[in-house]
């Protein structure tokens, strides 16, 4: 650079600083300089005085320091400040500069664009004074601020396995370093990976880990370009690299390896425990990696850790004494890299703020659109260890909303899930994958996985698995998650931890909530239409945008993580407005289940329904009352589920000894129930009450009603239910196919 008159300066930022210097009593202008070339650069040199700097501060900052202020062309960032005094101390918060050049003050924590929004020459000058005063007083690094890194970023990165130290101790494990991607900038990302057994690598890397004694964080330095430079840096920090490196190499087995053809690179991982104050316990361990341009055997020979005999290298130094050093190990060039750990589940939990580890043996049944998205969320948040079950394979139309890509078409969906999980973690992650029908009770591997699971998440989109699972006595808690046909609603049904309230009862109570609550009007009714995805009459799917799947999956995943920590059964229902994105939750009070068993059939309901029946009886006393029962049949399981009991139609006849149900408005009411529940819930029977002092035992008139109902439902061949509410009991009688039962 050449000296010029200050009037020759033309960069606006520097002119602002010059004006602030002229207006300040603590800054003295020394000279102006210009560098020719592209881009052009201008600088001014000043003497800046800070009266608040203690005269004998331990850092070594003086009250008056000579500084150079550089401003590049364009000025998209603040000018650079260099401390020109030769003895200016090594401190924290300085920028990387070449060895032997002035130290560059790191004035701002914020990004350059944020700084420049309110930057002026006057506040820039005050910022320099602030830096000098706080550095002198040892207050520049805030107590709650992360510790200063020991080395400046070189632009290179090395990604290492999260369990590297464990792998490094195993004699059968070999490593290979590969370059990840091709960056357009000067930065390079490398990955240290385990070489699969039996695999050959062109460049097998040796590895040693060196632990440095704890040291207080202070100034940073540039990444060392050789082992010699690293040795000097570590010596300044009170460590001996040669001894540590030699010890690490001696611990690695050699056992007569041929020197020719040995690994031609060596990775040195250096661990720097750093404390905030002298004598404190290390707050964190900071790491750098040096890729040495020398193989492990050659490095060991130069250090005297190994010896060579007839072309083979050994590390049994005790046999022949201390082997001589074979060359200058300090001259070995290194490619420095910042160390990044490949994430594991614990790291993902930390990154995501996940509160708990989740199930240790979780199983997802059905990895279609919702199931595969939930698995992706669980894995990336570090929540749970998972197996997956799904008998289907990935088809072309699935790519619209499944986790998967064109290269996965034709693969079983569980294999696609396994491949994607492996790509996230860099290693196999899913515990078990089963491409089988989850309802196949004869499949032994399936039975074993489900029996060992502590949480089973049903995303199968069918009624079969949750109903069948309700009959199982396995210990694992079951949860059913699904989207409504329109994609605008989602539902979570979770059993209690003891499985006293099972999915079959939760399903029934969910339908009653749909019938009773205003939000149930369109909850299951609207959809975007259907489309044929293949030639088969069963190849039909609903139109559903991926955005709806992702939105609801996020809500379901977060809620499930909380519910899994609770012991009680739970039901959660959400509606989402696709226009505004607003999500409305709906709460549903759950009641304990109850059932009535006969020789061939079980009728299920819950105490909420029984309480409703008793309430309607009490409101009608001393007269009898009644109405129809709505629910659904599952003859695969020989079950009838009573969802709700309707009050008597207005044209019904009541007396103290008789009840004759009317029909006014009943057809419309029944159609509304079917419409709300997507035709799942319909007529299953009748209920009526008995007068005071009478039990629920059938009267002659009740037996006549059973005969009429049997004839009435004979065309469909379905069993029906007659439910009687007595003074102190409730009884269920079945007809058509089955016997009666009493509660």
């Amino acid at each position: 650079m050449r000296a010029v008159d200050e009037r020759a300066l033309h960069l606006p930022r520097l002119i602002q600083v010059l004006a602030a210097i002229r207006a300040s009593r603590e800054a003295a202008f020394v000279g102006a300089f210009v560098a020719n070339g592209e881009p052009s650069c201008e600088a001014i040199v000043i003497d800046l005085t800070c009266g608040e700097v203690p005269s004998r501060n331990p850092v070594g900052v003086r009250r008056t320091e000579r500084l150079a202020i550089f401003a590049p062309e364009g000025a998209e960032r603040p000018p650079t400040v260099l401390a020109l005094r030769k003895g200016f101390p090594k401190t924290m918060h300085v920028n990387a500069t070449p060895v032997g050049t002035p130290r560059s003050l790191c004035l701002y924590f914020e990004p350059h664009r944020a700084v420049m929004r309110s930057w002026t020459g006057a506040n820039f000058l005050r910022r320099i004074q602030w830096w000098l005063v706080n550095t002198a007083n040892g207050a520049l690094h805030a107590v709650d601020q992360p510790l200063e890194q020991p080395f400046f970023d070189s632009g290179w990165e090395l990604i290492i396995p999260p369990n590297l130290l464990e792998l490094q101790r195993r004699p059968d494990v070999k490593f290979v370093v590969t370059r990840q991607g091709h960056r357009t900038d000067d930065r390079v990302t490398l990955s240290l990976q385990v070489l699969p057994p039996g695999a050959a690598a062109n460049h097998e890397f040796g590895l040693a880990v060196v632990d440095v004694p704890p040291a207080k964080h202070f100034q940073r330095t540039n990444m060392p370009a050789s082992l010699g430079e690293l040795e000097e840096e570590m010596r300044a920090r009170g460590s001996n690299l040669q001894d540590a490196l030699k010890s690490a190499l001696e611990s690695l087995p050699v056992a007569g390896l041929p020197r020719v053809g040995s690994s031609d690179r060596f990775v040195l991982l250096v661990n720097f425990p750093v404390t905030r104050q002298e004598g404190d316990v290390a707050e964190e361990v900071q790491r750098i990696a040096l890729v040495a341009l020398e193989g492990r055997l050659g490095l060991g020979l130069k250090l005297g850790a190994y010896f060579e005999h007839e072309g083979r290298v050994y590390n049994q130094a005790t046999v022949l004494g201390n082997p001589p050093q074979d060359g200058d190990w300090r001259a070995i060039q290194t490619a420095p890299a910042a160390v990044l750990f490949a994430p594991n589940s614990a790291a993902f939990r930390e990154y995501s703020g996940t509160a708990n580890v989740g199930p240790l043996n979780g199983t997802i049944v059905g990895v279609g659109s919702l199931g595969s998205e939930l698995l992706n969320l669980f894995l990336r948040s570090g929540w749970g260890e998972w197996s997956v079950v799904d008998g289907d394979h990935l088809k072309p139309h699935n790519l619209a909303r499944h986790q998967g890509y064109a290269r996965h078409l034709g693969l079983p969906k569980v294999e696609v899930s396994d491949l994607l999980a492996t790509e996230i973690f860099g290693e196999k992650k899913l515990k078990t994958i089963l491409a089988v029908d989850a309802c196949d009770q004869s499949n032994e591997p399936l039975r074993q996985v489900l029996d060992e699971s502590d949480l089973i998440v049903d995303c199968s989109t069918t009624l079969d698995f949750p109903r069948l699972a309700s009959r199982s006595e396995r210990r694992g808690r079951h949860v059913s998650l699904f989207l409504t046909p329109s994609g605008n609603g989602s539902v979570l049904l979770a059993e209690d931890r003891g499985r006293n309230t099972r999915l079959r009862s939760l399903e029934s109570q969910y339908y009653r909530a749909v019938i009773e609550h205003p939000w149930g009007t369109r909850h299951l009714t609207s959809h975007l239409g259907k489309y044929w995805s293949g030639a088969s009459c069963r190849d039909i799917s609903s139109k559903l945008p991926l955005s709806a799947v992702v939105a609801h999956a996020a809500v379901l995943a977060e809620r499930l993580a909380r519910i899994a920590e609770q012991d009680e059964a739970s039901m959660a229902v959400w509606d989402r407005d696709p226009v505004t994105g607003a999500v409305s939750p709906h709460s549903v009070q759950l009641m304990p289940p109850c059932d009535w068993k006969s020789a061939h059939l079980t009728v299920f309901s819950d105490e909420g329904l029984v309480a409703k029946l008793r309430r309607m009886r009490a409101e009608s006393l001393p007269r009898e009352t009644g109405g129809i029962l709505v629910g659904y049949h599952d003859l695969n399981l020989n079950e009838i589920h009573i969802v709700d009991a309707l009050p008597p139609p207005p044209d019904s006849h009541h007396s103290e000894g008789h009840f004759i149900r009317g029909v006014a408005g009943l057809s419309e009411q029944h159609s509304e129930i079917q419409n709300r529940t997507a035709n799942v819930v319909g007529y299953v029977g009748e209920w009526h009450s008995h007068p005071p002092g009478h039990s629920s035992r059938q009267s002659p008139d009740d037996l006549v009603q059973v005969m009429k109902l049997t004839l009435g439902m004979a065309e469909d061949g379905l069993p029906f239910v007659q439910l009687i509410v007595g003074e102190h009991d409730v009884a269920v009688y079945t007809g058509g196919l089955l016997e009666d039962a009493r509660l």
Side-chain angles (χ1 to χ4, degrees), residues 534-556:
S536 168
C537 61
R538 290 189 175 185
D539 290 335
I540 188 169
S541 295
S542 296
K543 295 179 180 179
L544 184 65
L546 177 60
S547 58
V549 176
V550 173
H552 285 291
V555 173
L556 290 167

Side-chain angles (χ1 to χ4, degrees), residues 524-645:
L524 288 173
T525 56
S526 59
H527 55 78
L528 300 180
K530 297 181 181 294
Y531 63 91
W532 297 97
S533 57
S536 168
C537 61
R538 290 189 175 185
D539 290 335
I540 188 169
S541 295
S542 296
K543 295 179 180 179
L544 184 65
L546 177 60
S547 58
V549 176
V550 173
H552 285 291
V555 173
L556 290 167
E558 291 181 348
R559 186 63 178 271
L560 178 58
R562 290 171 172 79
I563 287 177
E565 293 296 297
Q566 304 168 3
D567 294 335
E568 301 81 12
S570 180
M571 180 187 303
V573 180
W574 294 271
D575 282 320
R576 177 176 175 269
D577 187 330
V579 177
T580 65
V583 177
S584 303
H586 307 294
S587 59
V588 178
Q589 183 179 5
L590 296 179
M591 302 300 291
C594 57
D595 59 73
W596 299 266
K597 297 181 183 298
S598 69
H600 305 290
L601 180 76
T602 303
V603 178
F604 291 97
S605 191
D606 59 87
E607 293 183 8
L609 175 72
V610 174
K612 180 178 181 179
L613 291 166
R614 293 190 184 281
R615 184 173 63 253
M616 287 191 289
R617 176 182 180 273
E619 291 171 351
S620 181
L621 289 175
R623 301 180 303 165
E624 292 188 5
T625 188
I628 70 168
L629 298 171
V630 292
Y632 49 90
H633 301 81
D634 194 324
L635 300 184
N636 290 327
L637 303 175
N638 291 327
E639 296 174 356
I640 297 178
H641 296 263
I642 304 176
V643 171
D644 203 3

Side-chain angles (χ1 to χ4, degrees), residues 33 77 100 152 183 200 299 348 454 464 488 537 551 571 616 648 651 653 664:
F33 300 86
R77 57 184 181 178
F152 286 108
R183 309 271 292 273
L299 178 59
F348 278 131
D454 50 9
D464 299 321
N488 294 330
C537 61
M571 180 187 303
M616 287 191 289
D651 59 339
H653 296 281

Side-chain angles (χ1 to χ4, degrees), residues 359 362-364 375 378-379 383-387 430-432 455 457:
T363 297
I364 296 180
L375 177 61
F378 293 156
L379 292 175
W383 193 73
E385 300 292 333
W386 297 98
S387 299
L430 298 184
K431 302 184 73 171
T432 306
L455 181 67
V457 181

Side-chain angles (χ1 to χ4, degrees), residues 167-301:
L167 294 171
Q168 195 263 338
R169 296 189 200 100
R170 291 173 46 186
D172 60 318
V173 171
K174 297 180 180 180
F175 298 94
V176 61
V177 174
T178 59
R179 182 164 180 166
Q180 298 290 107
H182 298 281
R183 309 271 292 273
T184 56
D185 53 18
D186 294 332
R187 309 179 75 86
V188 175
T189 299
L190 305 173
S191 178
L192 178 67
Q193 300 172 348
V194 175
L195 192 63
N202 294 329
H203 300 288
E204 176 195 328
F205 281 67
L207 174 70
V209 179
V210 173
D211 293 311
V212 176
K216 179 184 175 182
H217 75 134
F218 55 105
Q219 77 284 351
R220 297 196 291 175
T221 186
N222 292 320
M223 285 284 196
S226 69
L227 291 180
E229 290 184 13
L230 178 63
E231 182 199 27
E232 293 178 6
E233 180 64 33
M234 290 180 60
R235 188 186 302 118
R237 295 173 185 251
S239 300
N240 188 309
L241 175 62
Q242 181 175 7
D243 291 345
L245 187 53
K246 183 177 178 181
S247 175
L249 287 169
E250 287 174 342
S251 68
L252 299 176
V254 177
L257 292 176
R259 181 172 184 178
V260 177
S262 66
S263 58
D264 60 357
R265 292 291 185 273
F266 181 79
V267 175
L268 174 62
L269 182 65
V270 186
N271 298 325
F272 287 88
V274 183
T275 64
R276 198 171 291 272
Q277 297 295 334
E278 296 289 352
D280 287 354
V281 176
E283 186 170 319
E284 63 179 77
V285 177
Q286 298 169 354
R287 297 174 172 86
I288 65 165
L290 298 175
V291 181
L293 307 184
E294 176 84 39
R296 171 163 67 100
L297 302 185
L299 178 59
L301 290 171

Side-chain angles (χ1 to χ4, degrees), residues 335-346:
V339 174
L340 305 175
F341 277 101
N344 55 13
S345 293

Side-chain angles (χ1 to χ4, degrees), residues 622-625 653-660 688-692 694 699-702:
R623 301 180 303 165
E624 292 188 5
T625 188
H653 296 281
H654 306 259
S655 72
E656 295 184 12
H658 293 85
F659 169 73
I660 300 175
H688 68 274
S689 67
H690 280 176
H694 289 264
S699 67
D701 289 342
D702 297 334

